[in-house]
Amino acid sequence: MTLAEVKEHLRLTGDEFDGNLTLLLEAAVSGAETITGLTLRESTYRVTELNDRVVSTGLMPIRAVTATVDGRPLEGVGISGSHVILPDDVEAVTAELEVKTGFDEFPADLKAAILLMTARFFEFPSDPVENLPKASTNILKNYTRWDR
């Protein structure tokens, strides 16, 4: 999500609100992450000292995993939901995982929900968060992940 997309959604052409809109967009993305349980922005996490083949990260969506065992790259690492699965021939090892999360590009409906939330924050700055647009909360419900 970008500031330009928010400005286009709100039909704003000037830059006098850019700082505020950037803050509101970040708040909307954070709110969407809280509601869905997804990690929407690209992030990198490191996990070390693993002693199990299946690692529950609690992170979704996982875009890529780089694994090393004793400093050597590990091939054949799988991803299933929020779980990282080490190959069968790896047992009770100390490994390091680098997990990259987020979307390359937000799905259109998720982007629409975040734009609606950002617009709501901008148009009604003193309104409580409980009054989010119904359309955005309905869209976000479809992305909620309980299996983290």
Side-chain angles (χ1 to χ4, degrees):
M1 295 289 308
T2 66
L3 175 62
E5 290 170 316
V6 172
K7 290 173 72 170
E8 181 181 346
H9 177 74
L10 293 171
R11 296 175 179 83
L12 295 173
T13 55
D15 59 2
E16 63 271 15
F17 299 111
D18 285 5
N20 187 36
L21 289 173
T22 299
L23 175 71
L24 297 175
L25 174 59
E26 285 300 310
V29 172
S30 292
E33 287 179 329
T34 299
I35 291 168
T36 63
L38 297 173
T39 306
L40 301 175
R41 295 167 274 209
E42 181 176 329
S43 301
T44 300
Y45 298 89
R46 289 193 187 278
V47 182
T48 57
E49 298 184 20
L50 306 172
N51 293 308
D52 195 355
R53 279 192 50 251
V54 178
V55 181
S56 179
T57 67
L59 304 169
M60 288 180 79
I62 296 176
R63 291 178 27 198
V65 176
T66 304
T68 57
V69 176
D70 299 327
R72 295 182 322 259
L74 183 62
E75 300 294 325
V77 176
I79 301 168
S80 177
S82 65
H83 298 83
V84 175
I85 304 164
L86 301 179
D88 289 335
D89 59 343
V90 177
E91 291 186 32
V93 298
T94 299
E96 181 175 317
L97 300 177
E98 181 178 289
V99 180
K100 291 186 181 179
T101 64
F103 287 100
D104 286 329
E105 187 173 323
F106 286 9
D109 56 344
L110 189 56
K111 185 183 285 191
I114 292 169
L115 288 172
L116 288 169
M117 291 170 63
T118 305
R120 179 63 178 220
F121 294 159
F122 181 71
E123 293 167 3
F124 303 99
S126 63
D127 237 4
V129 176
E130 296 89 37
N131 292 327
L132 290 175
K134 190 71 170 165
S136 65
T137 54
N138 283 340
I139 291 169
L140 293 175
K141 281 193 293 187
N142 294 326
Y143 283 90
T144 300
R145 297 295 177 245
W146 303 103
D147 57 346
R148 292 176 280 142

